[in-house]
Amino acid sequence: CSSDLCENFFSGCTSLENLYLSNFNTKMSSSMSGMFYNCLKLKSIDLSNCTFNTGSVTNMSQMFENCESVTSITFGSLFETQGVSNMGWMFKNCKKLTEINFESPFNTISVSEFSEMFCNCQALTKLDLSAFKITNNATNMGSMFYGCSSLKTIEFRTDIDTSNVTNMAYMFCDCVSLESLN
């Protein structure tokens, strides 16, 4: 992705099972919206050992949406998110996703859109969001965890700021296994 857009780059690659991105340079990209959208057979995504520089990215909406077979996603230290304003639907319908590793510096300081971010991640049992710095930029958290039926614990930072959030509708709807919200 040498252009300013990596939108829908792998979108619709419904037979893609494995992906090796060691020399994949995203330094110039401003949008990764829908990048892996509908990669139905992709099993795991490890972005920790590649030149996945996201310092210029502002939009990650629908990035992994409908990756129904993916079981784990690992982000590396070059996965910078301090300029991202939209993470809505990012992991929506990743039904077999059991693990997301948010290494530092997974920074959500500029994010305003969190709606349906983890919606229907039915296999997730725990989610550590302590790397997320949610500030007064956040405005929409509607259905953020909707349908995460196996999710037992969610770990947040203690300095979360939801003072400007106008939508939290259905945020934890159908989280029938939720036992701990810290």
Side-chain angles (χ1 to χ4, degrees):
C1 276
S2 58
S3 72
D4 63 339
L5 298 176
C6 284
E7 286 183 6
N8 300 309
F9 199 79
F10 298 102
S11 178
C13 293
T14 56
S15 298
L16 183 65
E17 292 183 24
N18 299 300
L19 195 58
Y20 183 69
L21 296 174
S22 68
N23 292 316
F24 195 68
N25 191 336
T26 58
K27 186 177 176 181
M28 302 297 290
S29 182
S30 63
S31 179
M32 293 184 171
S33 177
M35 189 172 191
F36 298 96
Y37 182 82
N38 272 345
C39 290
L40 302 174
K41 293 185 180 179
L42 194 58
K43 295 188 182 355
S44 69
I45 301 170
D46 186 347
L47 304 175
S48 63
N49 294 320
C50 60
T51 315
F52 215 81
N53 187 327
T54 54
S56 299
V57 176
T58 59
N59 188 354
M60 291 184 173
S61 67
Q62 298 179 298
M63 191 169 176
F64 304 101
E65 185 176 349
N66 294 336
C67 289
E68 295 179 352
S69 299
V70 73
T71 58
S72 68
I73 301 174
T74 303
F75 298 101
S77 60
L78 288 177
F79 203 85
E80 299 172 12
T81 55
Q82 71 274 0
V84 177
S85 61
N86 189 347
M87 289 187 176
W89 311 276
M90 192 170 178
F91 304 100
K92 184 178 180 180
N93 293 327
C94 291
K95 296 176 181 181
K96 293 183 181 178
L97 186 62
T98 58
E99 181 182 6
I100 306 173
N101 183 359
F102 295 110
E103 279 185 32
S104 287
F106 203 92
N107 187 339
T108 57
I109 198 164
S110 299
V111 178
S112 61
E113 181 67 62
F114 287 100
S115 63
E116 298 187 41
M117 187 174 184
F118 302 99
C119 183
N120 287 326
C121 290
Q122 299 167 355
L124 273 179
T125 58
K126 64 180 179 175
L127 198 51
D128 185 353
L129 302 180
S130 57
F132 279 40
K133 178 144 178 84
I134 298 174
T135 67
N136 63 353
N137 289 323
T139 58
N140 191 348
M141 298 175 117
S143 302
M144 190 171 175
F145 306 100
Y146 185 100
C148 293
S149 54
S150 299
L151 192 58
K152 291 183 179 182
T153 62
I154 304 173
E155 186 76 33
F156 285 107
R157 292 171 58 115
T158 56
D159 60 348
I160 186 172
D161 182 353
T162 58
S163 60
N164 289 322
V165 176
T166 57
N167 183 4
M168 287 187 177
Y170 304 101
M171 190 168 172
F172 301 101
C173 186
D174 289 335
C175 293
V176 295
S177 300
L178 193 60
E179 297 171 354
S180 175
L181 186 61
N182 188 0

